């Protein structure tokens, strides 16, 4: 029986695991989120110890196909997957949801990195920050701005005085996002180009409220890695 390792706890990773038939599938989660949504099939939680550790795991468990379905901003894990594929000869496919496209009425300013995003809001801005708890220190250094930082799990303490943390897990609604913007008098949205429907509501709410959006571009995949945004195509490749 073919053995497939899926890296990532994204919605696409779970959809792929549920779709695969006639193969032994193992999904690997990083373990950074408390109480994650678990996919179908076997699950392992935790890191591998870099590309060499992942390569050793692939060999030990006789993996035939490797799917990188991690978050579009999990740059280090994608690099490890590419290197482990090179070291072992295990074929690799990246499964990535499409990024977002601006629509009529949107006011987006694209930036290449989190530090660039942190520098973008004007002094006095009240920022809706949805780039993840690990990015909070990058933005909190802006003492001339205030941040409503939303994340699934709490950030590492101490939380700076100019940051209010909102613990929440999507999917979110447009009405709910509009209410947050009004309640906290937010003036800027900062987010990553993660794509997906589950968190797009904030973009619609920002457009409706006339808020500019600072959009952090996703990093490119490692060179030479084959990619698809279609779960059915990824399943066919893994089973074929």
């Amino acid at each position: 029986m073919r053995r497939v390792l899926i890296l990532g706890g994204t919605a696409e990773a779970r959809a792929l695991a549920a779709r695969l038939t006639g193969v032994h599938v193992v999904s690997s989660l990083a373990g950074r989120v408390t109480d994650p949504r678990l996919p179908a099939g076997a699950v392992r939680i935790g890191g591998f110890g870099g590309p060499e550790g992942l390569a050793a795991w692939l060999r030990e468990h006789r993996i035939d196909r490797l799917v990188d379905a991690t978050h579009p901003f999990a740059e280090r894990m994608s690099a490890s997957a590419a290197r482990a594929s090179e070291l072992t000869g295990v074929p690799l496919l990246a499964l990535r949801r499409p990024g977002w496209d601006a629509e009529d009425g949107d006011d987006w300013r694209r930036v290449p990195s989190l530090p660039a995003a942190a520098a973008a809001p004007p002094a006095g801005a009240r920022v809706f920050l949805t780039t993840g708890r690990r990015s909070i220190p990058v933005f909190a250094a802006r003492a001339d701005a205030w941040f409503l930082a939303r994340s699934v799990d709490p950030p590492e303490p101490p939380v700076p005085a100019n940051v209010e943390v909102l613990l929440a897990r999507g999917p979110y609604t447009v009405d709910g996002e509009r209410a947050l913007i009004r309640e906290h008098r937010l003036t800027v949205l900062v987010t990553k180009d993660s794509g997906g429907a589950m968190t797009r509501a904030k973009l619609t709410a920002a457009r409706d409220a006339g808020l500019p959006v600072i959009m952090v571009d996703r990093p490119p995949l490692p060179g030479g890695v084959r990619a698809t945004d279609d779960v059915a195509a990824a399943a066919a490749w893994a089973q074929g």
Side-chain angles (χ1 to χ4, degrees):
M1 180 180 290
R2 175 163 289 180
R3 302 174 67 86
V4 178
L5 175 63
I6 302 173
L7 302 175
T10 59
E12 292 74 26
R14 294 192 299 273
L16 176 59
R19 192 179 186 102
L20 289 175
T21 59
V23 302
H24 176 75
V25 58
V26 180
S27 296
S28 177
L29 312 184
R32 293 177 179 171
V33 175
T34 302
D35 192 24
R37 296 185 177 108
L38 297 180
V43 177
R44 72 173 301 279
I45 295 179
F48 292 93
E52 290 77 14
L54 175 55
W57 199 94
L58 295 175
R59 295 188 188 101
E60 179 185 354
H61 295 271
R62 306 187 309 282
I63 298 299
D64 301 295
R65 292 285 188 274
L66 175 61
V67 180
D68 172 14
T70 56
H71 190 277
F73 282 81
E75 191 172 8
R76 183 178 298 178
M77 191 65 239
S78 292
S80 288
R83 179 57 180 155
S85 175
E86 292 176 358
L87 291 171
T88 61
V90 175
L92 169 65
L93 177 71
L95 175 58
R96 288 288 187 276
R97 71 188 73 150
W100 288 312
D101 293 318
E103 300 179 2
D104 290 343
D106 283 329
D107 179 9
W108 289 9
R109 297 93 188 267
R110 288 192 171 271
V111 294
S113 65
L114 289 171
R126 295 181 64 84
V127 181
F128 189 12
L129 182 62
T130 63
T131 54
R133 62 190 171 108
R134 293 174 181 271
S135 69
I136 288 176
V138 177
F139 291 87
R142 284 286 307 271
D144 61 346
W146 182 87
F147 299 90
L148 178 67
R150 183 165 67 192
S151 66
V152 175
D153 292 316
E156 293 292 328
V159 176
N162 62 331
V163 177
E164 180 176 331
V165 176
L166 173 63
L167 298 181
R169 187 197 295 266
Y172 305 104
T173 66
V174 174
D175 285 345
E177 303 292 59
R178 286 173 179 152
L180 280 178
I181 290 171
R182 289 193 302 269
E183 177 185 353
H184 296 279
R185 307 187 312 281
L186 302 172
T187 60
V188 181
L189 168 64
V190 177
T191 193
K192 295 176 178 177
D193 188 10
S194 301
M198 191 169 74
T199 56
R200 189 180 176 103
K202 62 192 171 190
L203 301 175
T204 302
R207 180 174 64 244
D208 293 346
L211 266 61
V213 176
I214 310 302
M215 183 71 70
V216 182
D217 285 331
R218 58 177 61 181
L221 284 168
V225 173
R226 179 180 176 181
T228 183
D229 60 11
D230 188 325
V231 172
W237 176 86
Q239 294 170 152

